[in-house]
Amino acid sequence: MKILIVGAGPTGLTAAIELARRGLLAKVIDRRDNASTLSRAVGITSRSLELLSHSGVSETLIEEGVPIRGACIYQRERLALELPLHSNRIYFPTILGLPQDRTEAIMANTLGSMGVEVGYQNELQDLREESKGVVALLSSGVEERFDLIIGADGIHSKVREAAGINYLGFDLEEKWSIADVDTEGWPSREKFTLVRSSSGTVAVAVPIGKDRHRLVASCDNAIDAFPMGLKVCKIHREGTFKISIRQAERYSKGRVHLAGDAAHCHSPIGGRGMNLGIADAAELAKRVVERRLSGYSELRHREDKKIIEITERVRKIVTGRSIKARLEFRAFLAVASSLPVVRRKLGQFVVEF
Ligand SMILES: Cc1cc2nc3c(=O)[nH]c(=O)nc-3n(C[C@H](O)[C@H](O)[C@H](O)COP(=O)(O)OP(=O)(O)OC[C@H]3O[C@@H](n4cnc5c(N)ncnc54)[C@H](O)[C@@H]3O)c2cc1C
C-alpha cells in the first residue's frame, strides 16, 4: 500500500512509526526546512508513552524527560492546594515533562532507524481523488498517486481544506503568552504550578528540565504573571499566541484521513493537544494495517470531543472572570484542600485523563 503522510509533527511521526513497525513504510513530507525547534507541548501522558513504547520511543523520552510529581495551585501568592500527581493503575505513574522539539527529534530518530526519513521542503499543494487512488500535487512539482493520504499537517491543514472537510468551532479573543526559561530557586521543582491572580489572569509553570520551566499565561507577559516572584536567569524563547476551539466535522473522506491538530484544536490548559494527536495517529495506523478504516472517524471524533469538552469546562472555571467562575474556583480549592481523599483522586484523574 502506498501511503503519504503530510506533516512531520508528533502526529505524522507517530503515524509513520506505527506503520513502519508493522512493515508499511510511508512517504513523509513536511514543508519546513528541517526539524522543528519549537517547544510547544511539554506534557506527555502515560497513554502516549504506552502507545509509543512498542517502537522503543518511550524509553528514550523517559530517560530525557522530567516526571511531574505534583501540582501546586496558588491564589495570588498563597499556596492554596497541593496535589500529588500519581497513579499506579497506568503505564507511567505521572505526566512526563519534555519540550516538543525533543519529543519530535527522538521520534524522527526512531523512524530513521526503521528506514523512513522525513522529506523536508516538500509541501502538499493540492490533492484530488481518482477511482484508483488519491493524487497529491507536491511543491517539488511532482504529481504522485497514493492509496491513502494522512493529513497530519496541523491547524491550517491543506489536506483538510482540499478534501472539503469543515473545521467547526470558534476562536478565543484573548492573547496568551509563553516563555521557556531557566529559573533559580523555584520552590516546586518537579511540580506543575498554577497561579490565579486577583484579576483572573492564570499562569502555569511546567518543569521541562533541570531548573528549566515552560511558562504559559492568559496575558501578554508570562514571566510577569507570577506574583510570588520568579527568578529567571535566562529566557530561551518567549512569544504570544491565540487559542481556537475547533474540531473537523469528520476525520475521514474517501482515501483521506485526518489526525492531530488537523482534526482538532483546543486550549493548552489540559495539556492534551499533542497527546490526542498521538492517540489518533496510533489508532489510524493500526486500522490502516488491519484494513479496518471505516470506524476510525467515528471513534476518534467521539474520544477527542470528550476531551475537548472537559478541557473547555476546566478552562472556563480556571480563567473565568465572572463572580460565578470565581466562586466555583474557590469552592473547588476549599473542598480539595480540606479532604485528602479528594486531593488523591484529583491527582489520579489528572494523570489518567
Ligand atoms: C503555545 C502552545 C503550547 C502547547 N502546549 C501543549 C501541551 O502542553 N501539551 C500538549 O499536548 N499540547 C500542547 N500544545 C499543542 C501541540 O503543540 C499540538 O497539539 C501539536 O503540535 C499537534 O501536533 P501535529 O503533529 O498534529 O501538528 P503540528 O505540530 O502543527 O505539525 C504539523 C506539521 O505539518 C507541516 N505542514 C503543514 N502544512 C503542510 C503542507 N501543506 N505540506 C507539508 N507539510 C505541512 C508543518 O510544517 C508541521 O511540521 C501547545 C500548543 C501551543 C501553540
Side-chain angles (χ1 to χ4, degrees), residues 7 11 30-32 40-42 100 124 153 178 261 271 273-274:
T11 304
D30 199 295
R31 67 179 174 197
R32 288 191 314 243
R40 293 181 295 170
V42 292
Q100 185 170 326
L124 176 94
D153 49 344
I178 186 170
D261 279 15
M274 177 180 78

Side-chain angles (χ1 to χ4, degrees), residues 5-13 29-32 36 39-44 100 104 120 122-125 151-159 177-178 206 214 216 241-242 259-268 270-277:
I5 299 175
V6 185
T11 304
L13 292 169
I29 60 164
D30 199 295
R31 67 179 174 197
R32 288 191 314 243
S36 167
S39 59
R40 293 181 295 170
V42 292
I44 309 172
Q100 185 170 326
E104 290 180 23
Y120 287 109
N122 202 356
E123 179 171 357
L124 176 94
Q125 292 188 329
D153 49 344
I155 288 193
H156 305 290
S157 170
K158 183 74 201 176
V159 175
S177 53
I178 186 170
V206 186
R214 149 67 59 79
V216 181
F241 64 99
K242 285 199 153 189
D261 279 15
H264 46 76
C265 59
H266 56 88
S267 105
R272 288 301 179 271
M274 177 180 78
N275 293 288
L276 288 188

Side-chain angles (χ1 to χ4, degrees), residues 31-105:
R31 67 179 174 197
R32 288 191 314 243
D33 288 346
N34 41 43
S36 167
T37 53
L38 291 176
S39 59
R40 293 181 295 170
V42 292
I44 309 172
T45 61
S46 169
R47 180 74 189 123
S48 295
L49 290 170
E50 190 175 2
L51 290 171
L52 295 167
S53 65
H54 310 294
S55 55
V57 168
S58 297
E59 223 170 85
T60 320
L61 294 176
I62 292 167
E63 259 170 40
E64 234 185 82
V66 183
I68 302 174
R69 310 267 181 212
C72 299
I73 302 181
Y74 288 76
Q75 278 271 62
R76 297 179 291 278
E77 57 274 17
R78 186 179 69 84
L79 178 61
L81 175 66
E82 192 163 353
L83 295 175
L85 290 185
H86 184 86
S87 168
N88 45 24
R89 301 191 298 210
I90 48 179
Y91 172 80
F92 187 72
T94 189
I95 296 164
L96 188 73
L98 188 68
Q100 185 170 326
D101 53 338
R102 286 304 307 148
T103 301
E104 290 180 23

Side-chain angles (χ1 to χ4, degrees), residues 187-232:
S188 41
R189 275 184 59 194
E190 297 203 337
K191 286 185 187 162
F192 165 95
T193 301
L194 186 146
V195 183
R196 194 184 143 106
S197 74
S198 43
S199 65
T201 298
V202 170
V204 169
V206 186
I208 52 173
K210 191 174 172 299
D211 294 324
R212 189 161 175 185
H213 281 83
R214 149 67 59 79
L215 314 177
V216 181
S218 61
C219 62
D220 282 0
N221 188 324
I223 297 172
D224 291 348
F226 288 83
M228 62 274 228
L230 172 65
K231 186 154 183 217
V232 171

Side-chain angles (χ1 to χ4, degrees), residues 306-335:
K306 262 191 258 169
I307 303 290
I308 294 169
E309 283 172 357
I310 296 173
T311 305
E312 265 299 273
R313 239 179 286 150
V314 174
R315 181 187 68 80
K316 283 177 186 158
I317 293 174
V318 174
T319 65
R321 293 180 189 224
S322 67
I323 292 177
K324 182 171 173 269
R326 281 187 218 184
L327 289 177
E328 273 177 354
F329 190 63
R330 251 187 246 160
F332 153 74
L333 290 179
V335 172

